[in-house]
Amino acid sequence: DLIKNPEMELEHISTPGSSYKYLAENLRLYLDGKNIEEVWWDVYQWYYSRPDWDKSRNAMLEALFYQNQPAAISPQMAGNLYKTPFRSSVSRLEQFVACPFAHFVRFGLKPQERKMYTVGAPDIGILLHDCLASFASVVAERKLNWRELQRSECDAIVEELMEQKLPLHNNGVLVSSFRYRYLGQRLKRLSRRAIWVLTEQIQKGNFEPLMHEVSFGTDGTFPPLQVELSNGQSIYLEGRIDRIDFLQEQDTAYVKIIDYKTGERQLSLADVYFGLSLQLFVYLAAVLNNQSDSGLVSRKPAGLFYFKVDDPLITSESKDLNRIEEQIRKALKMKGLVLKDVQIARSMDSDLQQNSNILPAGIKQNGEFTAASSVLEEEDFGALLGYVNKMLRTIGNEMLQGKILIEPVKTEKTKACDYCIYHAICQFDKLFAANQYRNIPRLSDEQVLARIRAQQEEI
């Protein structure tokens, strides 16, 4: 089979049963753009003229031209599956952008995995989030002052909270064995570290942490974020914001949004531009769009941040505990965007110099931000919020029009398939012509902003 010539090809043609597989092989080569001997078209004609081979021949053609790509469902069916008025979280819209078919399976078909009483990454994230929220509630209930809290007080409250939560989580799995009890102790350590770092960050700034676990949506602290679609319908975005800090300056309240993460997360404007990371901007929009309760003239963005809940290992030759603690604080500094205003940045970190241990920013001796600082002008915050609103409208339109393509996104570092549990359903395979990744180009923040500004000028 390694040598292709007319004589060898003719040797493959004998009985109907044995020749059939060679016909299929040659048709596959032809569809892949390879040349085949003309005789194989005569062979195909022979099978085509035999009614007793119709079933096998049609099966072969179906396999050869199979695309592994579902047709769109009707808008009526999409409305029935997803319910109207359509209410959604922003993470669900990000899931749709990452792969429309995975979204369809998860939120339309709703298959259920068999429940296993084990501890996975989502369980750990839920427990740590719960501890951080409960800590804030305890501080409020006991009328403690964040700026006067000592580390020993914080550790004692965390210990108390985790002792209550560990036996109740996931049917008590975290106290069911020595292995899980050890994990429980590690989660206590993570919580103690995270809460003390967060407390230090508050104490080094002027922003007040006024709201924790703030919901927007039906019966939430803020109403849902409404996005009007092209068909006259609307989607109502709902969610929960981990923390909102405020700084009041005369008749303006500056808003800082913080989202707690248990994994590494960067705020990339390229991911925002392509609809893969809309969460923080949707949270900001939910707060800025509802100002009637503040009694202030206006609210303005001060920053959007991810905070990683972790207790990192530090490599250091120094045995100075203060220096090691400083390295840990630096490893846990927030990732995100800061308003390009030195006064506001220093209101978040009063010790802000060349490089901050709290913010993704630094200030040079001349009082300007360093080149590596993740800062954004106020008008660019506004431009991005407007763009995100348009992106939400586009996603909502495609979703309710029935788009369910198997079209996973691929970026420079990740693929939507990496942690997807639905591969056995979609059977995504790049050998199928219609199964290809949607490649997201690498764009710098400045390139993204230039594109968005250009779109604004066109309007």
Side-chain angles (χ1 to χ4, degrees):
D1 291 348
L2 297 178
I3 301 173
K4 297 289 185 182
N5 58 57
E7 291 75 20
M8 292 289 291
E9 296 289 292
L10 288 173
E11 290 185 12
H12 292 157
I13 303 171
S14 55
T15 66
S18 62
S19 303
Y20 183 72
K21 64 179 180 181
Y22 291 110
L23 173 64
E25 176 188 328
N26 278 275
L27 291 178
R28 177 71 266 170
L29 291 172
Y30 177 78
L31 290 174
D32 289 341
K34 308 290 178 60
N35 292 323
I36 64 173
E37 296 295 333
E38 290 293 326
V39 68
W40 288 110
W41 298 114
D42 297 327
V43 174
Y44 178 78
Q45 183 63 35
W46 187 91
Y47 286 104
Y48 187 83
S49 64
R50 299 301 192 277
D52 54 322
W53 278 91
D54 282 353
K55 183 176 180 180
S56 297
R57 182 175 54 80
N58 289 333
M60 175 181 66
L61 293 177
E62 184 179 345
L64 286 171
F65 291 100
Y66 181 64
Q67 297 294 303
N68 191 38
Q69 196 62 263
I73 60 176
S74 68
Q76 181 180 359
M77 183 180 292
N80 291 336
L81 277 176
Y82 303 140
K83 309 299 181 186
T84 52
F86 182 62
R87 298 185 181 277
S88 172
S89 65
V90 64
S91 60
R92 176 174 172 179
L93 299 190
E94 292 172 349
Q95 163 82 83
F96 180 84
V97 174
C99 182
F101 187 80
H103 169 271
F104 166 67
V105 174
R106 180 178 177 184
F107 296 101
L109 303 182
K110 300 179 182 177
Q112 296 296 316
E113 287 187 290
R114 185 175 62 171
K115 181 64 178 176
M116 302 292 287
Y117 289 107
T118 58
V119 178
D123 299 283
I124 292 172
I126 291 170
L127 187 60
L128 292 174
H129 268 77
D130 189 25
C131 181
L132 291 169
S134 298
F135 182 89
S137 297
V138 169
V139 170
E141 290 168 4
R142 298 180 184 177
K143 298 182 180 180
L144 302 175
N145 188 328
W146 283 93
R147 302 185 189 286
E148 296 176 358
L149 282 173
Q150 300 297 313
R151 187 165 188 171
S152 57
E153 291 180 89
C154 293
D155 289 349
I157 294 172
V158 171
E159 184 72 21
E160 178 186 337
L161 290 171
M162 292 298 277
E163 283 295 315
Q164 296 170 4
K165 295 178 184 302
L166 289 173
L168 301 176
H169 182 74
N170 203 358
N171 292 286
V173 67
L174 284 168
V175 293
S176 64
S177 68
F178 287 110
R179 176 190 171 208
Y180 281 132
R181 289 194 192 105
Y182 173 79
L183 176 59
Q185 293 302 313
R186 182 169 178 270
L187 294 178
K188 284 184 182 180
R189 189 175 72 248
L190 287 175
S191 300
R192 287 196 297 268
R193 169 63 66 185
I195 284 173
W196 177 239
V197 169
L198 287 169
T199 302
E200 281 189 313
Q201 291 177 355
I202 292 169
Q203 292 176 349
K204 287 187 176 181
N206 298 323
F207 277 75
E208 293 295 334
L210 295 183
M211 297 183 176
H212 300 265
E213 292 292 306
V214 186
S215 62
F216 59 97
T218 306
D219 300 325
T221 305
F222 301 119
L225 189 64
Q226 182 178 354
V227 180
E228 295 183 0
L229 305 181
S230 58
N231 62 0
Q233 293 182 309
S234 294
I235 58 174
Y236 297 90
L237 289 178
E238 302 178 330
R240 188 176 296 275
I241 307 169
D242 289 334
R243 199 175 104 204
I244 307 174
D245 294 357
F246 286 97
L247 174 69
Q248 185 169 339
E249 293 283 342
Q250 297 178 354
D251 58 355
T252 300
Y254 286 92
V255 179
K256 179 171 70 170
I257 305 288
I258 301 176
D259 191 57
Y260 303 138
K261 296 294 183 187
T262 52
E264 202 64 48
R265 188 72 181 268
Q266 297 278 355
L267 180 54
S268 161
L269 290 190
D271 287 344
V272 175
Y273 183 76
F274 291 107
L276 298 170
S277 182
L278 304 172
Q279 188 179 42
L280 289 179
F281 279 95
V282 168
Y283 290 173
L284 179 62
V287 177
L288 296 184
N289 289 359
N290 298 279
Q291 305 193 28
S292 59
D293 62 321
S294 65
L296 300 169
V297 171
S298 64
R299 288 177 181 169
K300 293 183 179 180
L304 304 174
F305 303 103
Y306 292 117
F307 175 81
K308 184 180 180 183
V309 181
D310 196 8
D311 187 17
L313 291 173
I314 299 298
T315 301
S316 176
E317 296 180 0
S318 173
K319 294 185 179 180
D320 184 348
L321 290 180
N322 290 329
R323 187 172 179 181
I324 293 172
E325 284 290 325
E326 183 179 352
Q327 287 180 277
I328 291 174
R329 285 193 292 270
K330 187 175 182 179
L332 292 177
K333 75 177 180 180
M334 296 184 291
K335 309 288 179 65
L337 290 168
V338 184
L339 179 66
K340 196 172 183 179
D341 183 317
V342 171
Q343 183 179 345
I344 295 300
R346 284 195 165 133
S347 294
M348 299 184 211
D349 181 4
S350 57
D351 297 332
L352 181 57
Q353 296 297 331
Q354 184 69 22
N355 287 300
S356 172
N357 288 338
I358 296 175
L359 305 173
I363 295 179
K364 295 183 288 189
Q365 290 183 349
N366 63 4
E368 297 179 354
F369 285 103
T370 59
S373 298
S374 295
V375 293
L376 205 62
E377 299 281 1
E378 184 180 335
E379 53 266 32
D380 288 331
F381 268 107
L384 279 163
L385 285 169
Y387 177 81
V388 166
N389 189 65
K390 287 168 53 181
M391 175 62 69
L392 295 172
R393 187 181 302 116
T394 299
I395 297 170
N397 284 331
E398 291 182 349
M399 191 184 297
L400 292 181
Q401 285 168 5
K403 180 179 178 181
I404 59 170
L405 285 176
I406 301 172
E407 192 180 57
V409 157
K410 181 180 180 182
T411 66
E412 186 181 32
K413 297 180 180 179
T414 62
K415 300 186 293 291
C417 300
D418 288 343
Y419 302 103
C420 182
I421 62 175
Y422 302 124
H423 188 267
I425 299 174
C426 77
Q427 296 290 306
F428 176 82
D429 190 333
K430 290 198 297 179
L431 292 176
F432 295 121
N435 277 183
Q436 300 299 322
Y437 290 110
R438 183 163 73 91
N439 290 294
I440 300 300
R442 181 180 181 182
L443 298 177
S444 68
D445 288 355
E446 192 52 48
Q447 287 175 311
V448 171
L449 291 172
R451 289 190 180 193
I452 292 175
R453 290 168 188 150
Q455 291 178 19
Q456 282 186 317
E457 291 175 3
E458 290 175 5
I459 296 172

